[in-house]
Amino acid sequence: MSEFSILLPSLLNGITTGALYALVALGLTLIYGVLHIINFAHGSLLMVALYGVYFLAVGFGVGPYQALIVMPAAMFAIGYLLQRYVIGKASHERDENILLVTLGLSIVIENLALYWFRSDTRIVDTPWSFETVEFLGAFLPLPKVIAFFGALLTAAALWGLMTRTDLGKAIRAVAKERKGARLVGIDVDHVFAMSFGIGIACLGIAACLLMPSYYVTPQVGHGFVLIAFTIVVLGGMGSFVGALIGGLIIGVVESLGGLFLGESLGQIGIFAIFILILLFRPTGLLGHKV
Amino acid sequence: MADKRKTSGLSKRDFMAAAGATAMVAGVGGFPAVLRAQPANVKIGLIHPVSGFIAFSGTQCREGALMAIEDINAAGGIKSMGGAKLEAVLADSQGKPDIGAAEVAKMAEAGIDGIVAGYSSAISLATSQEAAKSNTPHVVDVGVSDEIIKRGLPNTFRFSPGYGVIAKFAVDNLDKINKAAGSPAKTAMIIHEESLFGTGSAGLLQKELPGIGIEVIEVIKHANPTRDFTNIALQIKAKNPDLVIPANYYNEYVLLARTMRQQKVQPKGIYSVLGGAASSYKFVNEFPEAAQYIMDCNHWFNPKSDIALQRKAAAEAKGLIYTYEVFLAYNAVAFLADAIDRAGSTDKDAVIAALGNSTWDKHGMPYGPTKIVGGQNEGGQPVNTQVLDGDIQVIFPEEFASAAPVFPMPA
């Protein structure tokens, strides 16, 4: 096997890793891209979801994929309550307040996790964690292949929700014209909380699909949150398909960057792309209109 | 009436005067006499990265250090100072050298008596440098960079060996293991994290390995944290080395081992040097299959020492995983406390002198009594471990060995 021959496996790995990034970014594109809430607590809430999956597995023998029945609903409830009773109330509808409130929330959540769970690295070791799917001579880890299809389904479901349901229409109306939406009888606070809840529910899905190939610590969100913001901007704020494509691009750039520039420098490519997009297409690949 | 008052007792005015005088005497001289029976606490600063990317290791260090303080206090404190208790002053470096140094400055300002810090080499360099400004005795618990000691700071001591000694030991023993198996290993790839520890270790190994007939065909450096190790595993697979030598922290080590297994990378041996996981019961318990046969050259306790086994049992009774961070930080505190006890005071020069001439031997390590040369305990040495059937066995040196090495790894 030469270095050139690992180009295809590396590319495929980038795509599957990118799907995991896209999963984390999908919720953010709804919260940040549509509602313009800069949610700095996104990484911390991912950590909460990962601990949820971990404790379900260790405490109740619920596997990460079985946890898909519980975790999105639980995370939706957390997201809804946070927006309705903490972020919404404390921010007084001012963007700079939202930023500080979510930043504060992330610090509180992380420190509580440190206090309760200590900083131990926790892993769910499932029998299929080491299973691989052979594709074009490359061994693709089964959990990543499942995550790839999970990301496709989640993006499709969110797209359907936003374009085919009354809630989706209400979310778009509130995002576009908050006062107008209120005037026509839409409960704006409820819609905001629902949107935030749905965005955080996506983290519940992401956590279930991520846990078989990753670990959880109180700081685990740091590694994902910046990537997720980059993906949202790259894909186009508010575009779920854009987030999916953005995630895959970032995954591939990181993977090939690591291969050709070295693993330490590989991530430079991610931020180079980010800057180029901001320079030449500030609306992102698929624009921001929903 | 006046006589009666005089004979029967004190007048009201005299009583008040006497009471006031008594209170004054007691206030000036009596209570301090009582206080002198309770000697002032000896304040030990513990600076570790309990948040940030190496928080697991930092927390383990803190736990080990606190265990030592608890044990020393329970055994009567600093006896030469009338049983003065050790008091932990805690700080979090967040994995950042500048924050570690800032915490030292704060502690020095507050009159700390000694510092144990800071888990990583980069942080230990910064904390010891800052502590030197106030001549505060500073014991490095884990940091392995030789630069920490080479600067000749009079306040800086390290109880455990540095990576110069460890790399030499690792290479010498690898040579013995390889030769005993008929020299099947001829090539190696080094995978290391990008900070001072990984880079320094990799540099030394790259220099030393050709001397024992092992060609280093590639050195791969990675960031902390690295989210995905597939590329690295693919590169290892492409180069097909006989040996893979990782030098990284726990989280990255786990992901690397996991990914190598997923990508079906099967070298003849995985030989870690200061590997963050191969000498960890946590890793062995969580990945018994992936951990099987991995060898490491690392800090380890003497498995034949009663002191070590008692401390291991005590740590495990507290729910701790007995990683090297726990017992190295424990020993760093105990080493400092022994020096304070022999100095008989917290005078910084006296404590530094006592650290310098220490012959302490209650450590449970495979070391012998401490022998400090230029701040470094020259008696300190690592051991080789191997994961065998879900347990960590010492395979070298032979006097401490609990099992024979298995090499090459059975397919």
Side-chain angles (χ1 to χ4, degrees), chain A residues 132-208:
Chain A
T132 51
V133 177
E134 198 172 348
F135 181 69
L136 299 174
F139 291 104
L140 299 174
L142 183 62
K144 281 191 175 179
V145 174
I146 293 170
F148 174 75
F149 288 108
L152 291 183
L153 279 173
T154 309
L158 283 173
W159 180 81
L161 176 92
M162 291 297 284
T163 57
R164 299 274 185 271
T165 67
D166 288 344
L167 177 63
K169 285 175 194 161
I171 292 172
R172 285 185 291 151
V174 167
K176 204 163 188 177
E177 183 50 67
R178 197 178 300 180
K179 282 183 185 163
R182 209 186 291 273
L183 283 173
V184 298
I186 295 174
D187 182 347
V188 172
D189 293 339
H190 173 68
V191 169
F192 256 85
M194 286 293 288
S195 312
F196 200 85
I198 293 166
I200 302 306
C202 291
L203 290 179
I205 300 171
C208 294

Side-chain angles (χ1 to χ4, degrees), chain B residues 13-282:
Chain B
R13 181 176 294 170
D14 290 343
F15 173 79
M16 292 303 288
T22 307
M24 225 172 111
V25 168
V28 172
F31 289 132
V34 173
L35 286 176
R36 273 199 295 274
Q38 299 284 326
N41 286 351
V42 175
K43 290 181 181 171
I44 306 292
L46 304 177
I47 305 171
H48 293 109
V50 294
S51 64
F53 77 102
I54 43 175
F56 171 67
S57 298
T59 308
Q60 291 288 96
C61 284
R62 178 182 278 187
E63 293 290 345
L66 289 174
M67 266 187 74
I69 288 177
E70 200 179 306
D71 287 356
I72 291 162
N73 286 342
I78 304 293
K79 293 188 178 74
S80 66
M81 293 173 65
K85 301 291 182 204
L86 295 183
E87 179 186 332
V89 180
L90 303 176
D92 177 13
S93 67
Q94 302 171 27
K96 295 168 189 167
D98 53 330
I99 294 178
E103 292 295 346
V104 171
K106 273 194 249 172
M107 287 184 178
E109 187 72 22
I112 205 82
D113 297 313
I115 286 174
V116 171
Y119 175 64
S120 88
S121 295
I123 299 169
S124 302
L125 274 170
T127 53
S128 52
Q129 184 88 35
E130 184 63 35
K133 291 179 189 168
S134 54
N135 198 36
T136 305
H138 182 296
V139 179
V140 174
D141 45 17
V142 180
V144 286
S145 167
D146 291 335
E147 295 305 314
I148 295 169
I149 296 300
K150 272 185 187 167
R151 294 168 302 166
L153 298 176
N155 69 315
T156 304
F157 296 85
R158 183 167 58 194
F159 181 69
S160 54
Y163 61 32
V165 168
I166 295 170
K168 186 174 184 324
F169 187 91
V171 170
D172 287 350
N173 286 343
L174 176 60
D175 190 32
K176 286 177 196 162
I177 293 167
N178 196 30
K179 279 182 179 153
S183 299
K186 292 181 172 53
T187 57
M189 271 179 83
I190 300 171
I191 317 296
H192 70 92
E193 62 85 37
E194 65 182 354
S195 79
L196 196 57
F197 142 60
T199 309
S201 306
L204 285 169
L205 291 170
Q206 204 173 357
K207 203 171 128 193
E208 298 287 336
L209 285 170
I212 60 165
I214 294 176
E215 181 197 354
V216 179
I217 53 177
E218 180 113 24
V219 177
I220 298 178
K221 181 166 76 171
H222 65 79
N224 292 310
T226 289
R227 287 177 292 264
D228 183 49
F229 274 90
T230 310
N231 256 339
I232 291 177
L234 287 169
Q235 289 176 70
I236 297 171
K237 202 170 177 183
K239 301 277 181 187
N240 194 25
D242 296 323
L243 288 171
V244 174
I245 303 182
N248 35 29
Y249 294 116
Y250 187 84
N251 291 350
E252 282 66 38
Y253 196 102
V254 166
L255 282 187
L256 173 64
R258 205 168 188 170
T259 314
M260 279 174 62
R261 201 166 139 77
Q262 279 173 339
Q263 292 298 327
K264 305 187 189 333
V265 178
Q266 288 180 320
K268 293 188 174 83
I270 299 174
Y271 189 86
S272 309
V273 177
L274 294 165
S279 294
S280 166
Y281 287 109
K282 183 173 175 60

